[in-house]
Amino acid sequence: MSAGHVLVACDKFKGSLTADEVLAHIEQGLLRADPDREVRTVVVADGGDGTLAAAFSAGFDRVPVTVEGPTGEPVETAYAVKDGTAVVEMADACGLVRLPNRELAPLTASSRGAGQVLAAALEAGVQRIVFGVGGSASTDGGAGLLQALGARLLDAQGNEVAVGGGPLGQLARIDLDDLHPRLRDVQLTLASDVNNPLLGDQGAVAIFAPQKGADAAQQEQLEAALTTFSDLVTAAVGRDDTQRPGAGAAGGVGYAAMAALGADMRPGIELMLDLTGFDAMLPGATLVVTGEGSLDEQTLLGKAPAGVAAAARAQGIPVVAVCGRSLLTAQQAADSGIEQVYALTDLEPDPSVCMRDAGRLLTDLAERVGREHPRG
């Protein structure tokens, strides 16, 4: 076996292959092209669904937790823990993937379940929490998150308001005095690729609520509700964080976490690459293979392949990407540090066949990568 290895660092192919399956098929294809080649693999994620999988793959332990899903139903989720650091994934607790029958609930979906996972990690005594906030189902400003951690959100009669973004319009008072006491002792970092503010034409409602099922009238209701909510939070904490970059992440969870919980924010892919030891696997690599199900303009805004490519390019290591389909031009890919893109649709133009036979096609595609990028 000669010096130099291929490092395969991929996210899932959503709807067809898990990240671990993607890595296995790529490794198989590369070894089919050259059985003596050294291949190393690492799961990567950007803070959305798949964040826990990346942490578990990197040697974190799984701690099961039962919480409320986005519309209140019990959900079996977990957090990952290693050396005093916990990784929490909002998507797995109360994200879009947890909606019963994938039925959107723009006014009533809540972030409460994510707060319950955070509370479990706090009570376990961790010193640092990495909170991946992609893939949320709610637009509640993080109100449910705060309630799960001890905040009281009251209407004019002194009753707790119902969960979800819509009912926040009835808020009259917020009491943050009983927030979980260990929040003062823990470093809380949000992993997100979203830099939007909470309010306005680039805010959580305008940009993301339509994807969560909100029509025009519901968007107007949610914007007014988040304005009421944030005015009361501002009064409680003495600081207006509504326009802070990232406040609009996860339907406003970014805002609540930064304004009320003292969280900071880092690009999700950078944070996850650190946690999974990606940089330590780069020395000696002669090629990095990255990818996800679809390469498109969203990829360029901080998704896993773009982060992997940037880190590898900084070390002078060539990068190619594999994917189900690519909507990027060759120039867009090159500008992001990816010198060549290999798509399943290069082998099979029918998208339904690509989804059905993704594993077989990905192995064949990886064999092509191996033959076109031989050792030394």
Side-chain angles (χ1 to χ4, degrees), residues 57-374:
S57 180
F60 281 67
D61 293 325
R62 179 184 181 88
V63 181
V65 189
T66 302
V67 302
E68 294 177 30
T71 51
E73 64 292 331
V75 161
E76 300 292 333
T77 183
Y79 63 89
V81 65
K82 180 181 179 182
D83 300 331
T85 293
V87 177
V88 173
E89 179 189 311
M90 182 172 184
D92 196 61
C94 55
L96 288 165
V97 296
R98 290 298 196 175
L99 284 166
N101 302 315
R102 300 298 174 95
E103 185 175 340
L104 300 174
L107 299 181
T108 56
S110 168
S111 59
R112 188 178 183 92
Q116 292 169 333
V117 184
L118 289 179
L122 290 168
E123 288 157 15
V126 302
Q127 299 303 310
R128 179 190 183 204
I129 298 177
V130 174
F131 184 19
V133 295
S136 68
S138 54
T139 309
D140 71 349
L145 178 92
L146 296 183
Q147 287 174 306
L149 291 166
R152 299 181 68 210
L153 278 62
L154 308 173
D155 63 18
Q157 287 72 46
N159 301 313
E160 286 275 351
V161 298
V163 298
L168 294 178
Q170 302 167 18
L171 267 179
R173 184 164 70 89
I174 292 179
D175 183 352
L176 301 176
D177 290 344
D178 292 327
L179 283 173
H180 200 293
R182 286 216 64 241
L183 285 164
R184 294 188 292 268
D185 306 322
V186 171
Q187 178 188 354
L188 178 60
T189 304
L190 305 182
S192 174
D193 58 1
V194 171
N195 289 316
N196 302 69
L198 179 67
L199 303 172
D201 60 6
Q202 294 298 308
V205 174
I207 302 301
F208 302 112
Q211 304 166 15
K212 302 173 187 180
D215 60 26
Q218 291 169 328
Q219 290 173 52
E220 185 175 346
Q221 180 181 351
L222 287 167
E223 184 76 7
L226 290 189
T227 300
T228 297
F229 171 69
S230 60
D231 285 347
L232 291 169
V233 172
T234 295
V237 303
R239 184 183 66 253
D240 183 358
D241 282 341
T242 56
Q243 297 302 305
R244 189 169 168 182
V253 163
Y255 168 73
M258 291 189 290
L261 306 182
D264 60 6
M265 183 172 285
R266 282 186 60 193
I269 183 58
E270 290 183 11
L271 196 52
M272 293 308 298
L273 290 180
D274 286 348
L275 284 179
T276 56
F278 173 80
D279 286 344
M281 302 177 77
L282 281 175
T286 56
L287 178 70
V288 170
V289 181
T290 189
E292 60 183 354
S294 176
L295 293 184
D296 51 36
E297 293 194 353
Q298 288 294 314
T299 304
L300 306 179
L301 300 176
K303 296 295 185 182
V308 168
R313 180 169 57 177
Q315 300 297 321
I317 303 168
V319 180
V320 299
V322 294
C323 59
R325 65 167 189 174
S326 176
L327 302 180
L328 299 179
T329 66
Q331 189 60 54
Q332 285 175 312
D335 289 345
S336 72
I338 297 170
E339 68 175 40
Q340 193 168 352
V341 174
Y342 296 81
L344 299 188
T345 52
D346 296 340
L347 303 179
E348 172 51 66
D350 186 338
S352 65
V353 176
C354 286
M355 293 287 286
R356 186 189 68 212
D357 296 339
R360 174 181 62 80
L361 292 169
L362 184 56
T363 300
D364 292 344
L365 199 65
E367 182 180 2
R368 178 183 292 184
V369 171
R371 295 194 186 286
E372 294 183 2
H373 297 269

